Amino acid sequence: MNVPNHVAIILDGNGRWARKKRMPRGYGHMVGCDNLEKICYTARDLGIKYLTVYAFSTENWKRSREEVDGLMNLFRRYLKRCIKSSRENEMCVRVIGETSVFDDDIQESIRTLEDYSKDYRKLYFQIALNYGGRDEILRAVSKLSADVRDGKQSADAITSDTFEAYLDTAGIPDPDLMIRTSGEQRLSNFLLWQLSYSEFYFTDVLWPDFNKEELVKAIRQYNNRDRRFGAVKGDPSCSQQD
Ligand code: IPE
Ligand code: IPE
Ligand code: MG
């Protein structure tokens, strides 16, 4: 099995999973959060090098106060617990998204976790919190414009590489495989720039039920895909990406 270098996952379906069990949505988020911890161990075991998960979008603030507060408390606990799994998985954790809006203690936990895990190299784990692809691109444009204004960048020499260095994912290769659970088939503002050439895999399985077997199924299907990057495979006159 050829394991993709970078897997990105939209963790969806916690609410429906809870409803099926006649439980409140918060219960689904709690079990979904435990599952996130498990999938990190699985990713490490499978030899995935980069894992990026979408846990809270810039649009998710529109949910009820109760649900948002519950999610914030879940993140509080999760970020602390993640210290242990970062050590056990030797995983370097980075939070992507606009984190300055979170309560101070959450921002502090993010800094502590990132700092604690910064030298681990087995797995690179990105958690998208208050993340939106459009917001990320706009923030990048804003920082880049400031550098042009200050003479640190030339407006005539902006390339993809220059631009990527301003994204939250700077230094991280683009995802090879993007998985969305729960049957929805849309991006919901996830990694708009970075998913340009990724393979997409959609499954009806709800996030709390998404386990190692399901991840392996996704990777096997990915293995059967014919990745092209715009070129034609087998044509020696074309330069191809591996
Ligand atoms: C995904 O599950 C988790 C977050 C977006 C925080 P949902 O909460 O979107 O679950 P459904 O889609 O309502 O089932
Ligand atoms: C996308 O799921 C965001 C996350 C999983 C964090 P949503 O459930 O919020 O997306 P929509 O509303 O169905 O598009
Ligand atoms: Mg959803």
Side-chain angles (χ1 to χ4, degrees), residues 115-147:
D115 188 57
Y116 178 87
S117 66
K118 68 179 185 310
D119 295 324
Y120 289 132
R121 293 288 175 265
K122 194 136 202 138
L123 173 65
Y124 293 87
F125 179 44
Q126 292 66 239
I127 313 170
L129 288 180
N130 190 30
Y131 176 88
R134 289 182 175 181
D135 178 65
E136 180 192 34
I137 290 168
L138 288 175
R139 284 186 288 108
V141 168
S142 179
K143 282 180 269 177
L144 177 55
S145 312
D147 280 356

Side-chain angles (χ1 to χ4, degrees), residues 11-17 25 29 55-56 60 63 67 71:
L11 319 172
D12 200 9
N14 293 346
R16 278 163 282 170
W17 184 89
R25 294 178 62 82
H29 293 315
F56 191 85
N60 286 147
R63 296 190 177 195
E67 182 167 354
L71 282 164

Side-chain angles (χ1 to χ4, degrees), residues 10-12 16 54-57 60 63 180 184 186 188:
I10 301 178
L11 319 172
D12 200 9
R16 278 163 282 170
Y54 201 11
F56 191 85
S57 74
N60 286 147
R63 296 190 177 195
R180 183 168 187 155
E184 308 302 338
R186 56 181 170 268
S188 300

Side-chain angles (χ1 to χ4, degrees), residues 3 12 126 131 162 184-185 189 191 213 215-216 223 237:
V3 174
D12 200 9
Q126 292 66 239
Y131 176 88
T162 323
E184 308 302 338
Q185 302 195 2
N189 207 5
L191 299 176
E213 197 187 327
L215 181 56
V216 168
N223 276 228
S237 65

Side-chain angles (χ1 to χ4, degrees), residues 2-238:
N2 165 27
V3 174
N5 187 47
H6 186 171
V7 176
I9 312 180
I10 301 178
L11 319 172
D12 200 9
N14 293 346
R16 278 163 282 170
W17 184 89
R19 194 171 62 219
K20 270 171 59 183
K21 298 207 154 5
R22 299 178 190 282
M23 294 293 280
R25 294 178 62 82
Y27 179 68
H29 293 315
M30 200 178 80
V31 178
C33 198
D34 290 345
N35 197 40
L36 179 56
E37 212 166 342
K38 286 188 210 147
I39 219 77
C40 286
Y41 287 87
T42 305
R44 197 272 319 261
D45 290 347
L46 290 173
I48 291 168
K49 206 70 205 162
Y50 295 84
L51 175 69
T52 302
V53 298
Y54 201 11
F56 191 85
S57 74
T58 45
E59 289 71 33
N60 286 147
W61 298 105
K62 293 180 201 152
R63 296 190 177 195
S64 73
R65 176 80 194 268
E66 187 193 357
E67 182 167 354
V68 170
D69 285 352
L71 282 164
M72 293 304 136
N73 285 329
L74 203 57
F75 297 149
R76 275 193 173 85
R77 289 197 297 275
Y78 175 78
L79 290 164
K80 292 208 165 75
R81 267 196 347 239
C82 201
I83 293 262
K84 180 167 168 259
S85 50
S86 77
R87 183 174 62 244
E88 291 179 354
N89 285 320
E90 295 174 64
M91 87 188 174
C92 174
V93 188
R94 191 196 291 187
V95 174
I96 60 170
E98 174 51 286
T99 54
S100 65
V101 300
F102 290 121
D103 286 351
D104 289 346
D105 67 305
I106 295 184
Q107 291 188 50
E108 182 58 36
S109 292
I110 292 172
R111 277 193 293 273
T112 305
L113 175 60
E114 289 183 333
D115 188 57
Y116 178 87
S117 66
K118 68 179 185 310
D119 295 324
Y120 289 132
R121 293 288 175 265
K122 194 136 202 138
L123 173 65
Y124 293 87
F125 179 44
Q126 292 66 239
I127 313 170
L129 288 180
N130 190 30
Y131 176 88
R134 289 182 175 181
D135 178 65
E136 180 192 34
I137 290 168
L138 288 175
R139 284 186 288 108
V141 168
S142 179
K143 282 180 269 177
L144 177 55
S145 312
D147 280 356
V148 169
R149 186 195 57 215
D150 298 343
K152 294 182 198 153
Q153 285 287 354
S154 157
D156 308 327
I158 298 168
T159 62
S160 283
D161 287 345
T162 323
F163 186 68
E164 280 174 5
Y166 289 86
L167 293 172
D168 296 346
T169 52
I172 295 167
D174 289 343
D176 300 286
L177 171 64
M178 194 288 295
I179 298 170
R180 183 168 187 155
T181 56
S182 88
E184 308 302 338
Q185 302 195 2
R186 56 181 170 268
L187 282 181
S188 300
N189 207 5
F190 188 42
L191 299 176
L192 298 181
W193 173 278
Q194 298 87 340
L195 292 172
S196 299
Y197 263 100
S198 313
E199 296 293 327
F200 290 1
Y201 176 87
F202 300 104
T203 172
D204 288 340
V205 173
L206 304 171
W207 171 249
D209 292 328
F210 189 86
N211 54 18
K212 182 172 186 174
E213 197 187 327
E214 296 299 332
L215 181 56
V216 168
K217 222 189 265 179
I219 295 173
R220 285 201 198 287
Q221 193 185 112
Y222 164 84
N223 276 228
N224 293 329
R225 302 274 176 93
D226 177 18
R227 299 195 76 186
R228 290 186 170 212
F229 304 100
V232 178
K233 267 222 173 114
D235 181 346
S237 65
C238 300

